Amino acid sequence: MSKLTNLWLRLEPLLAAAERPARYLNHEFGCVRKDDADFRFCMVYPDTYELGQANQALRILVNAVNAAEHLAAERAFLPAPAFCDTLRAEGIPLFSLESCAPVAEFDAVGITLPHELAAANVLETLDLAGIPLHADKRAEDDPLVLGGGPCAFNPEPYAPFFDAISIGEGEEAVPEALALIRRLRQEGAPRAAILRALAQTPGWYVPSLYRWRSEEEAQAAGLWIEPLEDGLPERIEKRLYEGFSASSGWEPCIVPFTEVVHDRLNVEILRGCARGCRFCQAGMMYRPVRERTADNVVNSVLAGLAATGYDEVSLTSLSSTDHSQIAQILTRLNRALDGKGVRISVPSQRLDAFGVDMAGLVAGQKKGGLTFAPEAGTQRLRDVINKNVTEDDLFGAIDAAFAAGWRRCKLYFMIGLPTETDDDIKGIASLAQRAYDRAKAAVAPEQRGSVRVSVSVALFVPKAQTPFQWDGQIAPEEALRRVDLLRRSVKYKAVDVHWHDPSTSFVEAVMSRGGREAAQWVEGAWRRGARFDAWTECFNEEAWREAAAACGIDPAAVAQTAWPTDRVMPWAHISTGVSERFLARERRLAQEGRTTPDCTFGRCTACGACPDLGAENQLAAPRTPSGAHAADAADEGRCEEGEARDA
C-alpha cells in the first residue's frame, strides 16, 4: 500500500465528523495533477479553504508553476481549528489537496503572508506539517520553506521561520526559483549552497545569511541587516511582472465543491495604484500602474464564464473605476451578458469616479450593497491622508447610486489617523447622517423605508513602506474612547455603526512595524494558543500579552511610538521601488495638510518607482481626471518641481 493511499485511509473516516468536510476533498472542477513532474511544490494558504481558495495570488502562482516544465504545484490549506486538533490527536500531518500527500514530503513549500493576523497560523501550518519551525533546524531532506505576499515587505517578524522570502510579484520569480532549486539539487548541492544561490537571485531574501544588528548599530549603519558573506546584496529590490498588461486576464481556475468567500469569477483588470493615499501599503508596493486593455478584459470575462459556469464576475484591482477604459469594459460586458443572469461587480469604487453613468453600468439589474471609503470625516483630515475626495464626491455618488436603484450603502472610515482630533470623529457622524439624508432624497417617498446607511470604522495601522510608517498607532483604550464618541455623535437610528476590535489592530501594528525580535513574540503567542487571530471568536489576546512579558519586548512601544523620518526602520533593506525620500516628503506634506495628485492623471510626482524598477505606467488609454483629481491636475502649486526633485 502506498504512503498516499495509507494517509487517505486514515483521513477519510474523520471527515464525517468534520465541519464542512468538502474543505478537504480533491477533484474539484479545474484542479490539475502533474504526476510526471520530478519536482513538487506545495502552495499553502495559512487559513481555511474558504478564504484561501478565493485568493487570487494562490491561483496565479499555482498556475505559473504548473505551466513550467518539470515542476508540479499542489495546494494546501490550514484546517479549521477543531480539525487541526483532530489531525494532531490522530497523528495525521497537514496534507495537500490534489494528492493527499504530506506537505513535509514536497521539495519546496510556499506559504503566503496575506495579512499580519496570519502570523501565528504560519507556525500552526509548519507544526501541523511536521516541518521544524526554525529554518536553521531543518535537515537536508526537509523541504525549502518559501514565503511571499504583502507582509513580505517587512519580512523580519517572519525571518526565522522561512528559508527564503520572495519580495514582489511572483509570476516569474517563483517558477524561476523552483527551477533553480531543482537544478542545484540534481547537481547534489547542499541546502546552504542552494540558499546562497537564492540570495543572489533578484527579488529573493534569505534571512539566515544576514546578521540582525542592534538598534544603535542599525541607526549608525543605515541598515538593520549585515551580510554574513561577500557578494550578498544589502538591499533587496522587489520583482515586477512587466508582462502583466499583455497577459490574459483569464487563466484556469478551480470551481470549488463548497462555497468560498468571493465565490465568483475574478478577473484582474489592472495592477497598481498611484492615488497615493498615505496610509495605504498596497498603493506603494504595487507601483507602477499596469492596465489590461478592454479587449483583453472582455474576452477574459467571457472565456472565464464559459469555462466555469459562474453567474457573477468581479473586475478586481486596487481601484477598478480608475481603469482608463472602465466605461467601455462595462458597456461591452453588459451588452454581451444581457439576459443571461450574470452579475458584474466592481468591488473597488472611487467616490470621485462613481457618477450617474457609472451607476448605470455597474451590477446591471442586481443591486446589492455598495461600499464607499471616505476614510475620514473632515476635508482637513482627508487632505492629510491624501484621499483626494470631497464631500461633494460622496454626495454625488450617493445621489447616483440610490437614484439608480441601490438601497444599501456602507461607508468605511478609519480612526486614529495622524493628526486626528475629536472634531474629525464627530465629522464622521455628521457626514454619515447627511449621506443618509441624500440617499432618502434620491428615492421615491414610498421606498425611503428601505434605505440603509451603515458606518464601519477600523483602527489605523501604520504600515511599512508608507508615508505613515513613522507614525504611531493610538492605544486600544483611546480607540475605544473615540468609537464611543462616534456612537454618541450619530443621532440617526437608521445609521448603524460597526467597528473593528482595537486589540487585533494592535497586533497588526506590532507585526507591521516590528523587527526580527517580533518573531520571538509570535512564537511565544502561538505556543500559548494563539492561532486564527483574524477570526473574532479565536483571537487570544492573553496569549499575545503573556508572550510579550515572557520574551521581554514592549509591543506598545513598537506599535505606538512616532519616529522622525531620519530613523532607519527595520525594513529599510526591502525596496518597493518607491524612495524613502518620497515617503518622507509625503509625511511632511501630510503634516501641512497638502495633497499630491495621481501621476496617471497628470505629471510625475517623483516617487522613484519607475526609474528604480526600469518600468513605467502602462495605461490602455489616457486617463481623464475627475472630481478632486481634476482640480489637482490643474493646480501647478500642488507639487512644486523643487519638491519633486528633492524626493
Side-chain angles (χ1 to χ4, degrees), residues 181 292 300 361 391 449 471 508 609 617:
I181 297 168
R292 286 176 167 138
S300 297
L361 290 170
E391 286 188 2
D471 289 277
E508 288 184 77
N617 294 324

Side-chain angles (χ1 to χ4, degrees), residues 260-580:
V260 299
V261 300
H262 312 309
D263 197 8
R264 59 202 179 201
L265 175 67
N266 293 303
V267 174
E268 189 178 10
I269 67 173
L270 70 92
R271 188 171 292 180
C273 177
R275 287 284 186 167
C277 298
R278 291 168 178 145
F279 57 83
C280 180
Q281 186 184 59
M284 299 296 163
M285 71 187 188
Y286 287 118
R287 296 187 183 201
V289 175
R290 291 146 288 158
E291 294 182 344
R292 286 176 167 138
T293 65
D295 286 345
N296 185 335
V297 173
V298 171
N299 292 336
S300 297
V301 169
L302 298 179
L305 291 173
T308 63
Y310 276 114
D311 61 2
E312 181 178 356
V313 59
S314 179
L315 306 179
T316 65
S317 77
L318 293 175
S319 186
S320 294
T321 49
D322 275 346
H323 194 292
S324 61
Q325 296 179 317
I326 188 63
Q328 180 187 153
I329 291 168
L330 290 170
T331 299
R332 290 172 60 181
L333 287 175
N334 283 330
R335 186 183 303 124
L337 299 172
D338 185 37
K340 296 183 178 179
V342 175
R343 178 184 176 188
I344 306 163
S345 63
V346 181
S348 47
Q349 295 155 353
R350 285 281 304 189
L351 285 169
D352 55 349
F354 196 88
V356 174
D357 292 342
M358 189 62 62
L361 290 170
V362 173
Q365 298 301 310
K366 298 182 179 181
K367 303 294 194 297
L370 280 175
T371 299
F372 294 120
E375 308 290 3
T378 63
Q379 192 60 47
R380 181 200 71 80
L381 192 52
R382 285 192 292 275
D383 289 345
V384 167
I385 64 178
N386 204 49
K387 185 63 181 176
N388 278 318
V389 297
T390 65
E391 286 188 2
D392 287 343
D393 293 325
L394 172 61
F395 296 147
I398 293 288
D399 292 345
F402 282 80
W406 274 275
R407 295 295 176 263
R408 293 182 289 113
C409 178
K410 178 186 288 185
L411 302 179
Y412 184 87
F413 297 90
M414 280 188 283
I415 60 172
L417 288 161
T419 79
E420 183 181 77
T421 68
D422 283 0
D423 286 340
D424 297 307
I425 299 293
K426 295 174 183 176
I428 296 175
S430 172
L431 192 60
Q433 290 173 161
R434 285 179 288 143
Y436 177 75
D437 290 338
R438 294 292 288 254
K440 287 183 64 177
V443 304
E446 64 274 13
Q447 296 177 328
R448 289 174 183 169
S450 62
V451 170
R452 295 288 183 271
V453 174
S454 63
V455 171
S456 178
V457 292
L459 179 58
F460 162 70
V461 176
K463 296 282 189 173
Q465 312 285 358
T466 70
F468 287 161
Q469 64 184 3
W470 294 283
D471 289 277
Q473 184 183 67
I474 61 173
E477 299 78 15
E478 173 61 14
L480 290 175
R481 185 195 71 81
R482 297 190 194 189
V483 167
D484 186 59
L485 174 61
L486 172 60
R487 295 175 63 200
R488 288 186 282 107
S489 299
V490 173
K491 306 303 182 184
Y492 289 8
K493 291 184 178 179
V495 177
D496 296 320
V497 178
H498 308 274
W499 63 96
H500 295 185
D501 182 1
S503 298
T504 60
S505 298
F506 175 72
V507 173
E508 288 184 77
V510 179
M511 292 301 298
S512 179
R513 302 182 92 208
R516 201 171 288 190
E517 74 287 345
Q520 187 181 358
W521 186 51
V522 174
E523 184 174 348
W526 172 76
R527 292 191 182 282
R528 289 167 174 80
R531 59 179 180 175
F532 294 93
D533 292 295
W535 299 23
T536 302
E537 67 273 22
C538 292
F539 178 67
N540 188 340
E541 184 178 3
E542 184 178 357
W544 291 96
R545 187 183 302 112
E546 290 178 356
C551 65
I553 73 166
D554 182 356
V558 177
Q560 297 164 13
T561 302
W563 300 100
T565 53
D566 61 356
R567 182 179 190 265
V568 179
M569 302 303 277
W571 49 87
H573 51 290
I574 305 295
S575 173
T576 65
V578 176
S579 73
E580 196 155 291

Side-chain angles (χ1 to χ4, degrees), residues 42-58 75-79 94 110-115 118 121 125:
C42 189
M43 186 71 204
V44 184
Y45 190 90
D47 212 310
T48 60
Y49 180 90
E50 290 90 333
L51 293 170
Q53 184 51 44
N55 182 267
Q56 278 188 286
L58 183 137
R75 298 162 295 140
F77 305 91
L78 196 58
L94 183 66
I111 304 177
T112 187
L113 301 172
H115 53 79
N121 277 10
T125 297

